[in-house]
Amino acid sequence: MNTFFDPESVVVIGASNSPVNLGAMICRMLHEYSSFDGRVYAVNRKGEPVHGCEGFVSVTDIPGDVDLAVIITPVNVVPSFVRQCGEKGIMRIIIETSGFSEEGGRGRVMQEEISEAAREFGIRIMGPNCLGVLNVRNQFCCFYGISDDHFGTFMPDPPGAISYIIQSGGMVATILESLMKDVVKVNKVVSIGNKSDVDEADMIAYLDGDPTTEIIGMHLENIENGRKFLDVARGVRKPILVFKVGRTEEGVLAAQSHTAGMANNDVLFEGVCRQAGIIRVNSISELHSLPKIFTSMLPLRGPRIAVFTNSGAFGGITADLLINAGLEMARLSPETQERLRRTGQLFNASNPIDLGPALSMQTFLDIFDILLSSDEIDGLLPVPSLWHPMIIDAIGELVKKCHYYRKPAAIYTPNAVYRTVSYREEYQVPLFESPEEAVRALQVSYQYYRYSSRKRRPGDHEPVWDNKLQQGVA
Amino acid sequence: MNTFFDPESVVVIGASNSPVNLGAMICRMLHEYSSFDGRVYAVNRKGEPVHGCEGFVSVTDIPGDVDLAVIITPVNVVPSFVRQCGEKGIMRIIIETSGFSEEGGRGRVMQEEISEAAREFGIRIMGPNCLGVLNVRNQFCCFYGISDDHFGTFMPDPPGAISYIIQSGGMVATILESLMKDVVKVNKVVSIGNKSDVDEADMIAYLDGDPTTEIIGMHLENIENGRKFLDVARGVRKPILVFKVGRTEEGVLAAQSHTAGMANNDVLFEGVCRQAGIIRVNSISELHSLPKIFTSMLPLRGPRIAVFTNSGAFGGITADLLINAGLEMARLSPETQERLRRTGQLFNASNPIDLGPALSMQTFLDIFDILLSSDEIDGLLPVPSLWHPMIIDAIGELVKKCHYYRKPAAIYTPNAVYRTVSYREEYQVPLFESPEEAVRALQVSYQYYRYSSRKRRPGDHEPVWDNKLQQGVA
């Protein structure tokens, strides 16, 4: 599978100099503004070079070995190019062209035809109807439509920890744009489309073995092979977040017209997730908001949460959310409350703790120590209003203390989203964009912690996130 | 009640030149960077002027009439100042000071004391433990802590359509910051705190009669008087959006420690909302994201929604969301599908409609006309990916056509939130920030439409939003 992500030589079949040619966009990206250092060839009717990539009429004309072919031609010529690749000895093909089984009828027949050709030559196929691969480490990417201006959004420097398996290319931009202003960055993305051969289970297995991937995020419209998926997922040692469409019959129908999946039983899928310890997320936005619980926060090892805020209204709001998420408002003993009161002029020392407006950095630090060291508390939900510049510094200290005491804090600063995003980007602290998102983060952290504790046997290592954070990598 | 919002003369009791004085912040704001043209006085121990506002030792020393007093002193002197106001003939007082019934014990006794003094003189009291009033029309505001840099966030020019009743001041900034980059702007805000006298029902009645308020948004931690609330709310002709804390017992407890409310029965409140046609929202963010369904969109008059997208994955996602929200995927007849197909090269002409990538403006306009004029469809959920600048122009045309055909479109552009927010601000189109938010907007629009249709009797006018939008005000 690694050849898909790290080829030494690639041919883009269908790249030409005609206007609005998608293959040409890929050649231009790889040759002009990516630092990818493999060879890139173009195949088109005239055999002309495209944006500096040498051109050929046929794949078999290319001198030397080629690792990977990207096919982005009209649908009817795809099968013959798959055969050409076979003759050339290219064993990995990404087919971006659409119009196959997602359209039914003739498309379905054509998809069968390419599968047959692939089997004949022993070729592994990704797609059709996909965007293929994006690898931040070597800047190899065969997504079309990434302009020079936006390339940085897709290729963060340094590369990040999360790799995505996205059935449909359409939402890659949404997710990567969002990550750009978050504390987690992307590592690899693969858009697998109709999955005529390579499917989500293959990709999970590959990414679980990939040393640069720490977390796996998935968007699925269907599961190709439920048994295979379960078998692979059960053995995975990394956290998997999955957003699956098709909770309703209408959703299933819509997904079917899009990437040609079979109708799946959603209840069955839910069961598979529970068995395999897969975290099922509720929205696209959770695919990019939740990974930071693994890279920048310690696991939540119990349900008892202490809320503290200098904006009293959020006490009631977060209490409602925590209870509805199956968590608990930590009960603070009179001793703990007394210690809190001695730190300064608190409005309320029982949970939710109302800090009041006037506080020094030392008061903040003392409160963090009291709460994080207390065995009455498993995690924090801080809601600090940033009315004073000192408070953002205090948040930075809180993050450090959480690592020291090995407890998580899901921080929400009560601001408009655009302002929260800009604080998060500027100070690189793991802020959540709403109280709902912060509570969801704690819920998922606890869910995954319980799962991974059950799964571990004596002698096993602690889960990935724990080791990493203990070593201070985050 | 109007005196609270439009006083000709105000005294800020407790404003002095000592460091970090909250009253002084109010004087400075009103005198230096607000265009409020009423007289502003300060009362403090030395009788000194504060930021250009004439100073007195006692309220009774002020020459001439005073309409409104704002008290922001230590808690123990509040009752005597209430009496001073009574002697001076000031009939409206906002008490910002906290430490009353929300703290129990002595605080509760003090609150009773001020209530008694107020009754004696016939004074109406707002608070204690509140921020008071913000009125964008005359720039009168007694919120402390609004710096001159942020004043514009709180005072949009021109003023907007929504007025908020916020029990707690803490979230005013979050809401107004968010509105700053939205298509709806704020008109008035009132933070009513402990509600020793003026309560949410009084404010609803006032804002319903206020000609500059079109929509009422509320954040409540408790209801002071359920019967009064229901009676007032039933008669209201404007949409009311309410976010109420205390869905769980822990939430009720937390709210109680904050603004001193009685524990309320949430099921009862739910029933009251249903009876009175009040829209109960699920989060703070809905308080600022939903008002645009009344100011910039027509009502949804039926449940049948057509989705169209050029990012196929969102078809399945939105179908799931619509069904779960009690809406329907519109069934398009073969004739409608054929008309859609003739507009250009669509990937899929049945609902969800997949536009594919290559489209001209004319194709967009034709599709809008076909969908909006079809009697198979009540409303649209467009998910246009903005990969080409033309598409944002097409969205502008869509908004106009929605007004022409009198149907709503809840538009979501699949982008990172910060980018959606900046598109919305730049082009002033009613974009939603997630597919969940767009679907929720349609759900609430339909809910309110059904309620207001039931409520209307023959001869009654159409609901406010309808009249406005028919006249092209939006």
Side-chain angles (χ1 to χ4, degrees), chain A residues 251-291:
Chain A
V252 169
L253 284 171
Q256 219 164 332
S257 72
H258 181 233
T259 44
M262 299 292 289
N264 289 124
N265 184 324
D266 196 69
V267 178
L268 212 68
F269 180 73
E270 195 78 39
V272 167
C273 287
R274 234 192 330 270
Q275 269 194 63
I278 291 174
I279 300 153
R280 187 161 186 194
V281 303
N282 299 322
S283 64
I284 294 295
S285 74
E286 290 188 356
L287 279 182
H288 55 79
S289 65
L290 290 178

Side-chain angles (χ1 to χ4, degrees), chain B residues 361 365 368 386 388-398 427:
Chain B
M361 178 59 107
L365 296 179
F368 300 158
L386 300 178
H388 192 283
M390 179 269 285
I391 298 175
I392 190 87
D393 295 333
I395 292 174
E397 295 303 315
L398 171 61
Y427 296 95

Side-chain angles (χ1 to χ4, degrees), chain B residues 7-12 30 36 39-41 66-70 140:
Chain B
E8 287 185 12
S9 49
V10 186
V11 54
V12 183
L30 291 178
F36 174 64
R39 293 184 305 282
V40 184
Y41 306 107
V66 178
D67 288 342
L68 176 68
V70 174
F140 174 66

Side-chain angles (χ1 to χ4, degrees), chain A residues 184-242:
Chain A
V184 181
K185 304 294 174 200
V186 69
N187 182 43
K188 292 184 171 69
V189 181
V190 54
S191 142
I192 52 180
N194 289 6
K195 305 185 283 195
S196 70
D197 173 17
V198 171
D199 66 11
E200 60 282 340
D202 296 317
M203 284 297 106
I204 292 174
Y206 168 71
L207 292 171
D208 195 43
D210 171 32
T212 62
T213 294
E214 291 170 37
I215 309 145
I216 300 168
M218 305 181 74
H219 160 247
L220 289 176
E221 298 202 321
N222 59 64
I223 302 284
E224 209 46 42
N225 180 336
R227 191 72 248 168
K228 180 176 168 194
F229 181 82
L230 179 58
D231 285 346
V232 170
R234 264 186 184 152
V236 169
R237 297 191 53 84
K238 297 176 183 173
I240 302 182
L241 301 165
V242 59

